Amino acid sequence: MTRISVKIDGVAYSDEVENRTLLVQYLREQVGKTGTVIGCDTTNCGACTVHLDGRSVKSCTMLAVQADGHEVTTIEGLAHDGVLHPMQAAFHESHALQCGFCTPGMIMSSIDLLNDNANPSETEIREGLEGNLCRCTGYQNIVRAVQLVAGASASTGASS
Amino acid sequence: MTAVDERTAEAAGPEVGKARRRKEDQRLITGRTRFTDNLSVSGMLHLGMVRSPVAHARITAVDTGAAKASPGVVAVLTGADLADKQGSLPCAWPITDDQKAPNHPAVAVDHVAFAGEVVAVVVARSAREARDAMELVDVDYEGLPVVLDLETAAAGAPYAHPELGTNVSATWVYDSAQAGTGTDVDEEIAKAREDGVVIERTFRQQRLIPAFMEPRSILVDPTGEQLTVWTSTQVPHFVRIFLALVLGIPESKIRVIAPDVGGGFGGKLQFTPEEVLTVLAARHTGKPCKYTETRSESLVSGHHGRDQLQRLTLAATKDGTVTGLKVDLLANMGAYLGLVTSGIPVLGAFMYNSIYKLAGYRFTDTNVFTNTTWTDAYRGAGRPEATFAIERLMDELAAELGRDPIELREQNWIKHEEFPFSTVAGLTYDSGNYEAATARAKELFGYDELRAEQKRRRDSGDPVQLGIGVSTFTEMCGLAPSRVLGALKYVGGGWEHASVRVLPTGKVEVVTGSSAHGQGHETAWSQIVADRLGVAFEDVEVLHGDTAISARGLDTYGSRSLTVGAMAVVKAADKVIEKARTIAAHLLEASADDLEFAGGRFTVKGTDKGMALGETAFAAFQGHNLPDGFEPSIDADATYDPVNFSFPHGTHLAAMEVDTETGAATLRKYVCVDDVGNVVNPLIVEGQVHGGLAQGIAQALFEEAVYDENGTLVSGSFVDYLVPSAADLPSFITDRTVSVSTTNDLGVKGVGEAGTIASTPAIVNGVLDAIRHLGVEDVVMPCAPQTVWRAIQAAFTKGGAA
């Protein structure tokens, strides 16, 4: 067991974890952040994507101990005071989810995508989300949601 | 982008038809989800399933000693431990009286028939401890001959289940001459051989995996008076009934809850070994037990779909009039019969004739066992296979006759003025307009321009050739009229149930038996009820997926939710209005006949006297002043059994670019115009079409469940099973035409499976259209670059030798 200190969605946690514990297991089982889900066991689906110090990572692909001293943001930490993150709002507005299982990871990856490239082409969006699988939407409205946020940022001149 | 903006934008007019943003989204986009694996109960134990690594063997010994001694392990249960408790998993659709089926244990006792079958269950304090101990369960297998290939299996030994003495489960025939719905197909084929055209082809429907994004999970709490079962299922009502029937638990002692469910696509239309075993483990230990599968387990043990071999003979006159179709089908059941495994091919039996006017038709289905994961429903279930067959054949006929594939189809399809139309397969199509959908699709596609480009590229010998894939389709949706299901020997009915309750404060609760898992019932049902009862969209709460709340229901599959489930809601709402009318008449001192109901309010004709629906609910709640003998409630239930299937249709066009040097087939443009009748929420309908297209296109280009010669699933992870990503697909151009269904009050037809059914043949026809001039006659699915490249090379070789 190893003691780790991680800030998750703005709250500082200090916990003993088994060394083999994956970050996603720690988040779900010890911290109770079940909003982040597990869709596969080969790092293909991206459903478990969270932000580590502001960059997207698949939380099934790193150990909890590797997050020691870092800051994690999950889907549960995006909205503040009842106000959705623009990407969450865009997913709702664009009907970019059906069953919603891939949605937490998809939203976290989409935010990271725009952090890298504020004004992506459709192809760049599709390639940028290649690591996140969705079985319901055919991706069309997910792409629209990302375009909606990118367009809104561009039109207001705001950086993401 | 907030709820306030939506209300402003969508304030006026009826709710039905509006692109309402979904009520369901808020919890899903913020992570406040209740997927089964998110749930915990105090004292909960965790299960690990030990699965057979071999496809066919006798189990000669199971040693659980080391596993039981492993830290945190509470129990290890084997087939021997549970043999007299587990019963046999049911097949709800014995398609013939003499159908053969092996016993279907949840945990294998002395024989395994596919790799992935459960052979022992470890119960431990944590999932990790269960997993550690799984490694320590020692099973001795004595190998048996493995049968995998469909034709080999149909021909005879070796047998997937030696005790059956055959691999053939059942043979099912529909013959239009015998049924009185058409002529003798053999005569039609003989005539065509004499003086017409006969097209004979064999098509392979490869095996697919539903690959819902949420792995299945089950949590069983045996504490308290009732056994509570949370399970990631499409069919909580089925699970309750079958737990009672299979395990002998009184049905009234079982509560099944399908909380948030992360997709199904038919893959969660099942009563699973894991559900039985989690219940048995919970009863054995007296503690809550949870089992959540890994993705790799899901791919190997969740049921698969498709896997059929279609031997087809199409007869036509020289002028292109199709006269007969003979279908000889081999369908792979896998190792066992699941809930509706044997009926899936039969669902296709009524759809091979599709939108065409055939004279003679015969469908012969032979269901065959192999040592593979069992098959069952996957989006479309029988109908995609049928549509693929006829749409590929129509293109083959067009090529044979040198005709435009759309024009040839039009010559043969049912014209809009010919509805209602009785088909050669014995169904009556109520409405449709294939001309309108096709004209719109051609316009959006730029059909003539793309044909011109195709010719230019062909003439110039461009290494990247353009193909245009055409697919027209109809499907039977709204499963199903109960009497029809009875005639087909399905054990259940096809009705749906609903309750509508007006609460004392005027809010409305709608309980639906149709259990959603991403389809947006909460939003769509709210729109329908808001209009019907004249209440605000926001004031309607839709409840589902818990047998203690939604006591009666037949759940969600077969594009049935709107056509059957929402119709039950409508019927219940209408009953509420009639009960409220009696109270309003009493309180307004008017005759019930003199009351008009509109906008949520009863008014006395010709006066300004009136009363809101909510006021009648409050009057009923008080019970102070009601008509003599009137029960103090305006709530109502309704059970709706459809009178007919519904028949959505559409025209799909795909522009495929095929690199003749690499074999890469790329989808450049996809247009579909679907006619799904009236639309409750266009946003949800479009979403269903998009997702359906992705799955159908994936069958054509990407996905295949592959076994090696030992019966090991080699596409057993998401590394190997190619679920397409955003980068693999283009944006689709979608539109609709509307022919209102005449067999339900809403005029709706269903949309869940349309995209999947129509798109697969559109893509393959497009690939072939790009390379047919090179001498390629067929490309098997999935049309991966290597497959296409080999087909082109084979044609070159054949052409060179000729």
Side-chain angles (χ1 to χ4, degrees), chain B residues 201-271:
Chain B
R201 294 287 185 275
T202 298
F203 295 138
R204 171 83 202 194
Q205 295 288 326
Q206 82 271 35
R207 180 177 281 244
L208 301 177
I209 304 180
F212 36 75
M213 289 311 301
E214 181 209 12
R216 296 171 304 171
S217 179
I218 304 135
L219 168 59
V220 178
D221 186 353
T223 62
E225 193 52 36
Q226 273 193 327
L227 188 76
T228 305
V229 180
W230 290 265
T231 179
S232 175
T233 184
Q234 292 173 232
V235 288
H237 296 92
F238 284 37
V239 172
R240 184 189 196 204
I241 291 166
F242 285 115
L243 280 174
L245 291 174
V246 172
L247 298 181
I249 305 169
E251 190 181 347
S252 53
K253 295 288 186 190
I254 305 168
R255 176 184 183 187
V256 178
I257 302 170
D260 284 333
V261 175
F265 317 111
K268 291 175 181 171
L269 167 49
Q270 194 55 265
F271 178 62

Side-chain angles (χ1 to χ4, degrees), chain B residues 389-683:
Chain B
I390 185 66
E391 287 305 297
R392 283 284 296 106
L393 287 176
M394 292 305 280
D395 258 35
E396 293 298 302
L397 180 63
E400 177 82 17
L401 296 174
R403 299 270 299 273
D404 176 86
I406 293 183
E407 183 237 348
L408 181 80
R409 282 170 171 80
E410 179 155 20
Q411 178 182 336
N412 286 286
W413 74 43
I414 303 155
K415 304 297 180 294
H416 69 273
E417 66 272 13
E418 293 176 294
F419 290 94
F421 186 89
S422 296
T423 76
V424 74
L427 296 178
T428 301
Y429 296 173
D430 60 336
S431 68
N433 190 330
Y434 310 140
E435 296 90 325
T438 303
R440 181 72 182 132
K442 282 178 75 173
E443 181 189 337
L444 287 170
F445 192 65
Y447 186 78
D448 297 333
E449 294 84 346
L450 282 166
R451 281 283 179 219
E453 181 186 332
Q454 179 184 39
K455 183 168 186 316
R456 281 199 305 275
R457 288 164 73 165
R458 196 154 293 178
D459 292 346
S460 70
D462 192 328
V464 179
Q465 286 290 315
L466 178 65
I468 295 173
V470 178
S471 170
T472 51
F473 82 104
T474 189
E475 52 167 335
M476 51 194 273
C477 284
L479 305 184
S482 296
R483 279 181 294 186
V484 175
L485 293 179
L488 292 172
K489 301 185 189 296
Y490 178 69
V491 299
W495 46 264
E496 194 46 87
H497 189 77
S499 307
V500 174
R501 305 195 284 248
V502 185
L503 305 182
T505 54
K507 306 287 184 194
V508 176
E509 283 180 340
V510 174
V511 181
T512 176
S514 177
S515 180
H517 39 284
Q519 293 88 349
H521 291 17
E522 292 165 38
T523 301
W525 281 209
S526 294
Q527 291 179 265
I528 291 167
V529 170
D531 279 356
R532 211 79 185 180
L533 297 184
V535 296
F537 170 78
E538 295 78 9
D539 287 345
V540 183
E541 193 74 25
V542 177
L543 307 171
H544 62 84
D546 178 346
T547 61
I549 293 169
S550 158
R552 282 167 57 79
L554 290 173
D555 305 316
T556 290
Y557 44 86
S559 303
R560 71 188 304 272
S561 293
L562 188 59
T563 49
V564 190
M567 273 304 300
V569 171
V570 166
K571 297 289 184 191
D574 288 351
K575 285 185 185 176
V576 165
I577 294 167
E578 288 319 301
K579 290 172 87 170
R581 184 188 303 277
T582 303
I583 293 178
H586 176 74
L587 295 175
L588 294 167
E589 297 176 334
S591 159
D593 297 337
D594 288 337
L595 294 187
E596 285 172 341
F597 182 70
R601 202 171 164 77
F602 293 98
T603 49
V604 183
K605 281 178 206 165
T607 74
D608 58 358
K609 286 202 318 184
M611 175 174 272
L613 180 74
E615 292 177 87
T616 68
F618 196 74
F621 170 70
Q622 289 182 306
H624 296 168
N625 182 12
L626 299 176
D628 288 343
F630 192 87
E631 66 169 344
S633 166
I634 63 167
D635 300 345
D637 286 6
T639 306
Y640 174 78
D641 203 338
V643 296
N644 192 3
F645 297 96
S646 59
F647 300 96
H649 69 83
T651 299
H652 291 221
L653 300 172
M656 298 299 304
E657 289 189 327
V658 178
D659 187 327
T660 57
E661 293 172 351
T662 66
T666 309
L667 174 56
R668 176 169 127 191
K669 185 175 191 181
Y670 197 96
V671 166
C672 66
V673 177
D674 288 301
D675 188 332
V676 297
N678 284 334
V679 167
V680 174
N681 184 323
L683 208 59

Side-chain angles (χ1 to χ4, degrees), chain A residues 20-21 28-29 34-35 39-41 44 75 88 92-93 95 98-99 101 122 126 130 135-137 139-140, chain B residues 6 21-22 25 29 31 37-38 128 132 209-210 295-296 683 687 690-691 695 703 724 726 729 731-732:
Chain A
R20 62 173 169 169
T21 305
R28 288 176 57 80
E29 295 166 18
T34 53
C40 76
D41 45 11
N44 288 85
I75 189 73
Q88 291 173 309
H92 173 60
E93 176 63 22
H95 185 38
Q98 291 179 31
C99 82
F101 194 79
E122 175 171 347
R126 287 182 176 276
E130 200 169 19
R135 195 62 157 166
C136 293
T137 65
Y139 304 100
Q140 186 144 334
Chain B
E6 274 168 29
R21 273 48 177 179
R22 296 197 320 168
D25 290 353
I29 57 179
D37 190 50
N38 292 357
R128 264 163 281 181
D132 289 342
I209 304 180
R295 173 59 58 184
S296 302
L683 208 59
H690 294 162
Q695 289 183 21
E703 294 182 19
L729 296 166
S731 283
F732 311 116

Side-chain angles (χ1 to χ4, degrees), chain A residues 16-28:
Chain A
E16 294 281 334
V17 297
E18 258 189 90
N19 288 348
R20 62 173 169 169
T21 305
L22 299 173
L23 177 58
V24 70
Q25 291 169 331
Y26 170 65
L27 290 172
R28 288 176 57 80

